[in-house]
Amino acid sequence: MIVVGGGIGGLGAAYSLTRQGLGVRLLERAPAFGEVGAGIQLAPNCTRILDDYGLLDEAKSLGVVPDSMVMRDAVDGSELTRLDLRDLEKRYGYPYLVIHRSDLHGLLLRACERAGVELITDAAVTSYENTDGGARVTLASGESHEAGVVIAADGLHSVARKLLVDDQPVSSAYVAYRGTVPAELERVRSVDLGEVVVYVGPSCHFVHYGLRGGELLNQVAVFESPKALAGREDWGTPDELDAAFAKTCGFVRDGLPFMWRDKWWRMFDREPVMNWVHGRIALLGDSAHPPLQYIAQGAIMAVEDGWVLGEHVARHRAEDGKTDWDAALAAYEAVRPEHCRRVVTTSRAWGELWHLDGVAREQRNVLLRARDTYDYSFVDWLYGPTALTPDEEPPMFTPIPLSAADTGDRLTAA
Ligand code: FAD
């Protein structure tokens, strides 16, 4: 079989499928495998899968297992609410982990190499087609590759997605800056590296947590770009970064000089789609469900997709080793799109909550301060075991109203 895309989603899927005894060829457009950016947060619904893959100990040795997650008000710096991540680990059985993206990516890449995945770079797929009993991809070079199934993990600007839906990425007008601060600097000494902290403010937020056993402080600064709202092409520039955080507390403002100022990430998602399979071609990861990152589940959903697909391959293999791909893909499509739809819409709603201003901000702060630290009702549906069938999918709970467009039948049914 073929996997297109060597990001976290593609590598995770390739490993999961190889584990089931399948021969996997992975095609990556870039000249070398790699990940850009700094930290990534992995909740128990991901570390549970890493454990199943035998990769959790290595992941823990590369990352940090923090003690708590704290939400603060970005304007006055005060604490709003916190999660006890040690208690959370007891509840879900697996840790909350923060790790450098390139370390997670490298870990999955090495696992794929060990498992015998055929890893090919400089292979940009330009088209997909179904064939008799399989599917074929054609590369920019003109070369083609054929297999029983093609999994398209080709990210936000997926070529494969066009087979299923004629849509475009949706701009949130928000932009993210990232950066790391070395541990020897005073700024790092002044923070508790055992905390994942998010400062929420009017049209902006700021996140920090320790990486690589405390060698680095990871920082992310996110804000709504006035230039994007005005329809300008040149949006998200460093002058906008400084202006967006001008009214935040000293600790947040002092972090801005450490952001990488020559690269920024404009934040897009897409409207959820419920159809991910086209014959023997299936979407996975951001190609299927790119979210806004507010509940830190994008890469996790991609890892879950690969694990679920692997489990359904195991369930739909005959004794002669042949996979009933139509059944396995149907089972995958029966469960993953609805879960990911919920995550994508919830992420949007959390973003709105984080970025409130005026009276609404004050009301939010009152509610968050009153929250019981040990109330997990809003993450149970995310952090529990990944569902393999629609029946196993837990009811969704969100303490905040989703927009009218998100409160359809499916949500009511949940
Ligand atoms: P990608 O990472 O986009 O990988 C796609 C791969 O396919 C790339 O290697 C690309 O080169 C390759 N490719 C593309 N087109 C082709 C082609 N035509 N032919 C061949 N190869 C191709 N998620 C979390 O779980 N936790 C977090 O804490 C978190 N924080 C985030 C913070 C920010 C600021 C942002 C922007 C995102 C965050 N996310 C987080 C989301 C997460 O990064 C993504 O959802 C995840 O990386 C998607 O992985 P993917 O493999 O599906 O796609």
Side-chain angles (χ1 to χ4, degrees):
M1 63 172 308
I2 292 172
V3 173
V4 178
I8 290 165
L11 290 174
Y15 182 69
S16 168
L17 294 164
T18 309
R19 227 169 53 118
Q20 301 301 340
L22 300 175
V24 178
R25 175 176 298 165
L26 187 145
L27 304 170
E28 164 58 46
R29 167 178 69 180
F33 287 99
E35 258 284 328
V36 282
I40 193 159
Q41 304 183 43
L42 301 179
N45 55 321
C46 185
T47 53
R48 184 179 293 110
I49 293 174
L50 292 180
D51 186 55
D52 187 43
Y53 288 168
L55 301 174
L56 182 58
D57 287 342
E58 193 183 350
K60 278 163 80 173
S61 74
L62 295 168
V64 169
V65 179
D67 297 321
S68 45
M69 185 181 294
V70 186
M71 183 172 276
R72 294 180 175 276
D73 184 284
V75 177
D76 60 23
S78 65
E79 179 171 327
L80 299 175
T81 188
R82 67 167 57 219
L83 272 175
D84 174 344
L85 296 179
R86 299 298 172 174
D87 188 68
L88 182 135
E89 178 172 352
K90 277 192 223 129
R91 181 177 181 86
Y92 299 109
Y94 295 89
Y96 198 99
L97 180 71
V98 290
I99 186 168
H100 202 290
R101 275 167 184 268
S102 57
D103 292 342
L104 175 65
H105 188 270
L107 171 103
L108 292 171
L109 186 62
R110 286 191 296 281
C112 285
E113 283 165 350
R114 285 195 301 272
V117 176
E118 190 186 351
L119 295 158
I120 301 179
T121 50
D122 272 324
V125 172
T126 52
S127 67
Y128 294 73
E129 62 187 311
N130 281 297
T131 59
D132 264 356
R136 182 187 303 128
V137 296
T138 305
L139 308 187
S141 62
E143 202 180 296
S144 66
H145 295 257
E146 203 167 326
V149 156
V150 173
I151 304 300
D154 53 346
L156 175 69
H157 300 287
S158 168
V159 173
R161 186 176 169 109
K162 296 189 181 79
L163 297 170
L164 290 146
V165 55
D166 180 21
D167 71 345
Q168 294 296 325
V170 178
S171 170
S172 68
Y174 275 76
V175 58
Y177 278 69
R178 289 159 155 162
T180 52
V181 190
E184 59 273 19
L185 296 193
E186 176 54 34
R187 178 166 181 79
V188 183
R189 285 199 292 270
S190 71
V191 301
D192 179 350
L193 288 172
E195 288 185 343
V196 176
V197 184
V198 54
Y199 287 83
V200 293
S203 302
C204 68
H205 72 266
F206 186 91
V207 181
H208 71 73
Y209 50 83
L211 281 179
R212 291 193 172 144
E215 279 174 31
L216 293 173
L217 181 71
N218 181 59
Q219 299 192 143
V220 188
V222 177
F223 62 92
E224 188 176 43
S225 157
K227 286 192 221 166
L229 295 177
R232 286 175 54 176
E233 291 296 315
D234 60 333
W235 59 282
T237 45
D239 54 311
E240 288 197 305
L241 168 72
D242 295 326
F245 286 91
K247 292 193 179 136
T248 57
C249 63
F251 178 84
V252 169
R253 277 186 283 114
D254 290 347
L256 300 182
F258 296 99
M259 310 314 295
W260 303 325
R261 288 179 165 251
D262 55 350
K263 176 147 184 60
W264 49 92
W265 284 263
R266 294 169 175 179
M267 300 186 51
F268 293 86
D269 66 1
R270 288 194 190 243
E271 293 305 331
V273 287
M274 304 306 284
N275 182 4
W276 296 3
V277 178
H278 177 73
R280 291 293 181 84
I281 302 160
L283 305 182
L284 181 145
D286 269 11
S287 71
H289 47 71
L292 299 177
Q293 92 290 17
Y294 304 122
I295 54 174
Q297 286 278 319
I300 296 178
M301 285 191 285
V303 170
E304 289 183 309
D305 291 346
W307 182 80
V308 168
L309 196 55
E311 293 300 304
H312 283 302
V313 164
R315 288 182 180 194
H316 294 285
R317 284 201 106 177
E319 279 186 5
D320 64 3
K322 280 218 175 81
T323 305
D324 179 346
W325 274 113
D326 295 330
L329 293 177
Y332 169 70
E333 194 180 36
V335 67
R336 292 303 296 159
E338 174 58 11
H339 176 82
C340 297
R341 184 190 71 78
R342 295 175 183 190
V343 174
V344 168
T345 53
T346 304
S347 300
R348 288 177 176 173
W350 277 107
E352 285 169 27
L353 181 82
W354 285 14
H355 299 140
L356 292 173
D357 197 359
V359 175
R361 166 183 157 247
E362 285 164 22
Q363 287 171 332
R364 174 203 63 199
N365 288 357
V366 169
L367 289 175
L368 287 175
R369 286 197 180 102
R371 179 188 156 265
D372 174 1
T373 304
Y374 297 98
D375 172 11
Y376 294 106
S377 55
F378 67 108
V379 287
D380 272 342
W381 68 279
L382 285 170
Y383 294 173
T386 300
L388 285 168
T389 63
D391 289 348
E392 290 172 14
E393 182 71 31
M396 175 185 181
F397 173 75
T398 173
I400 45 173
L402 300 177
S403 72
D406 303 324
T407 49
D409 290 342
R410 287 168 303 221
L411 183 63
T412 318

